[in-house]
Amino acid sequence: MRKFDSILVANRGEIAVRVMRSAQALGYRTIAVYSEADAQAPHVKIADDAVLIGPAPVGESYLDMERILKAVKDTGAQAGHPGYGFMSENAVFAEACNKAGLVFIGPTVDAINLMGNKAEAKRRMIEADVPCIPGYEGEDQSDDAMIKATGKIGFPLMVKAAAGGGGRGMRLVEKAEDVADALGAARSEALNAFGSDELILERAIIQPRHVEVQILGDVHGSIAHLGERECSVQRYFQKIIEVAPAPGLADDIRAGVIDAAVRLADRVGYSNAGTFEFLVDVSATDNGKPFGEPFAFIETNARLQVEHTVTEAVTGVDIVQAQFRLAEGASIAELGLDSPQVSEPRGYAIQARVCMESIREDGSIHPSNGTLTAYEAPSGPGVRTDGFGYGGYETSMLFDSLLAKVIGHSPSANFADTIARTTRALSEFRIEGVETNIAFLQSILAHEDFVTGSID
């Protein structure tokens, strides 16, 4: 490992802005890359240096490895942060960065290879005696092999892309006659999204909670955790509201999930930031528990998560700055992350993802775009907004619809206090020129099941 003084952020949008702010606070020189569609984007404006890497399509810019590596060479960047999405879990890109002499701020190539593929990761977890949902993660990807496997798994079941995440390449199948169509659709979607059509099958849990654990590891073999997050509020398999810590989670389940995550990270020699994700079964009866365990491992995200903000709020740890220091070779102990008090949450935090979208009369949801005629983010005690808008900024349909993340935090042990703070922040967020989902987010925060923690 080696020290560095400049960081190229191989991403755009709110995460590029967020990474640069933490980098600049530590005195690093920041370098942005941008496509022709992002010439006036906020991450370009706040960077110390910025390089045009291609035309608007992401395949010719943000996903073009050679163009990004040329920007590294041209600017003399010494380290690179991939953010999330794009090439953040691309082992080929991480290895190319290493060969180019660039410190890749993230886990090792081996860890990305292992954890970036759900099938291989699950095989390793089974070897480690960690509870996993019964399914099929075999190398034979033929329809015949998978259809045959469904006889042992049972229905309902999930078809999942082995690579990537975000709900892409995922299908719920409730009866045998629908398996073939689901396999075809999932393969096509996975190939377009991740460049791989490998699939896995899992027995579907109809009432799960999605609980994940934030892990940090150093290159010396030490592992620390920053507690868990509740990510069960999803739409089309994509997270939309996240909470830390998980409200109402039984203490034994909480301890078990965290122990499993730390044990797995240690077993694979994980370094830098990562998230280990689990499903907690909240079925009312024992015969509703399809895998006979209270929780099961589902996957690891070998990168920074969109929802890392809520963990930062309740622990006081800047995870991105920790990533920088760990990439330079600092130890968990040197960062003060080996103290049990670090992972003890102070109150609750909620993150609400503000997306540019419109809801039509038939209930269908569609991305929205336009020029922001007003963008005034909320502020005040316990309120944080990670966004990338400003008045006059022209948004684009070429990218994800996420515009900003509103984070509300209250040190109170009363979850209702955090809900009230986040709701107030959303009500004060002034966005004009594009339609957003703010009203939808407010309705979720006001829902009785969310307020009482009775979510799945």
Side-chain angles (χ1 to χ4, degrees):
M1 310 306 293
R2 63 183 176 86
K3 300 286 186 180
F4 46 82
D5 58 30
S6 55
I7 299 174
L8 182 143
V9 181
N11 217 298
R12 65 173 301 280
E14 57 85 19
I15 187 55
V17 173
R18 186 266 173 277
V19 171
M20 287 178 189
R21 283 175 173 157
S22 277
Q24 290 170 339
L26 291 179
Y28 295 107
R29 180 170 71 98
T30 58
I31 302 159
V33 293
Y34 65 98
S35 72
E36 291 174 355
D38 271 336
Q40 300 302 314
H43 77 284
V44 176
K45 295 178 177 293
I46 73 166
D48 297 307
D49 196 2
V51 180
L52 175 65
I53 55 171
V58 295
E60 301 174 48
S61 52
Y62 297 108
L63 289 176
D64 190 317
M65 192 181 310
E66 296 305 317
R67 291 175 187 261
I68 292 176
L69 291 175
K70 183 177 184 302
V72 169
K73 182 178 179 180
D74 291 346
T75 60
Q78 296 177 341
H81 195 298
Y84 40 67
F86 291 146
M87 292 191 289
S88 61
E89 293 180 277
N90 187 319
V92 175
F93 176 64
E95 188 168 20
C97 289
N98 294 338
K99 288 181 178 179
L102 187 78
V103 176
F104 181 79
I105 301 173
T108 64
V109 172
D110 288 344
I112 296 173
N113 270 323
L114 171 62
M115 298 304 182
N117 182 285
K118 293 183 179 70
E120 181 59 30
K122 190 173 178 182
R123 287 192 284 265
R124 292 290 290 271
M125 299 311 112
I126 292 171
E127 292 172 4
D129 293 325
V130 171
C132 290
I133 303 170
Y136 177 81
E137 52 281 334
E139 295 181 1
D140 187 343
Q141 289 285 298
S142 67
D143 278 11
D144 287 345
M146 290 198 155
I147 291 172
K148 183 178 179 180
T150 63
K152 295 182 179 180
I153 300 168
F155 293 90
L157 61 80
M158 298 298 298
V159 178
K160 292 183 178 182
R168 295 176 177 87
M170 187 179 294
R171 295 291 186 279
L172 172 66
V173 185
E174 300 189 75
K175 49 186 187 294
E177 53 265 39
D178 294 336
V179 173
D181 287 345
L183 291 173
R187 278 200 185 98
S188 176
E189 191 171 79
L191 185 62
N192 289 332
F194 313 120
S196 169
D197 62 359
E198 184 180 359
L199 302 175
I200 66 171
L201 305 176
E202 287 182 345
R203 179 68 186 268
I205 304 175
I206 301 306
Q207 275 189 284
R209 287 179 69 173
H210 183 127
V211 177
E212 61 188 33
V213 180
Q214 177 68 61
I215 291 293
L216 291 169
D218 64 28
V219 294
H220 314 288
S222 295
I223 301 292
H225 76 85
L226 297 178
E228 88 288 349
R229 297 186 284 257
E230 171 71 71
C231 302
S232 299
V233 181
Q234 303 182 14
R235 185 181 64 192
Y236 305 141
F237 305 119
Q238 291 186 312
K239 302 167 188 173
I240 192 165
I241 288 180
E242 299 97 352
V243 185
L249 188 65
D251 289 342
D252 59 335
I253 301 295
R254 189 189 316 275
V257 167
I258 290 173
D259 175 71
V262 172
R263 190 154 40 91
L264 294 174
D266 182 65
R267 185 181 181 93
V268 301
Y270 197 90
S271 62
N272 215 272
T275 300
F276 288 69
E277 302 189 345
F278 300 83
L279 290 185
V280 176
D281 189 0
V282 294
S283 301
T285 60
D286 288 341
N287 61 16
K289 297 182 185 300
F291 55 94
E293 299 287 348
F295 66 87
F297 170 83
I298 48 172
E299 66 181 67
T300 297
N301 288 132
R303 55 170 170 79
L304 186 70
Q305 290 273 89
V306 180
E307 60 272 19
H308 73 280
T309 59
V310 289
T311 297
E312 291 183 325
V314 297
T315 63
V317 176
D318 185 319
I319 295 174
V320 174
Q321 289 191 355
Q323 284 191 286
F324 300 154
R325 299 289 310 283
L326 290 167
E328 288 185 318
S331 69
I332 290 293
E334 287 175 317
L335 298 183
L337 299 173
D338 56 342
S339 169
Q341 285 73 35
V342 172
S343 60
E344 286 296 321
R346 296 183 286 276
Y348 288 97
I350 297 172
Q351 173 178 279
R353 303 190 188 193
V354 176
C355 299
M356 297 176 287
E357 62 186 33
S358 61
I359 302 178
R360 298 182 182 173
E361 289 184 3
D362 63 358
S364 60
I365 300 160
H366 300 268
S368 171
N369 77 305
T371 299
L372 295 173
T373 55
Y375 181 91
E376 297 175 10
S379 59
V383 174
R384 165 180 168 181
T385 302
D386 283 14
F388 66 104
Y390 62 84
Y393 176 57
E394 184 177 352
T395 66
S396 173
M397 295 281 278
L398 292 170
F399 309 110
D400 188 271
S401 63
L402 180 65
L403 177 64
K405 303 181 306 192
V406 173
I407 303 96
H409 171 237
S410 172
S412 168
N414 185 354
F415 184 43
D417 292 344
T418 304
I419 294 176
R421 183 161 286 180
T422 311
T423 301
R424 190 263 304 164
L426 286 170
S427 71
E428 293 179 358
F429 205 160
R430 184 175 172 229
I431 300 173
E432 296 177 4
V434 298
E435 294 183 79
T436 73
N437 66 336
I438 286 179
F440 177 60
L441 296 171
Q442 290 172 314
S443 72
I444 294 174
L445 295 179
H447 197 284
E448 181 182 359
D449 286 347
F450 185 83
V451 173
T452 60
S454 305
I455 54 176
D456 59 54

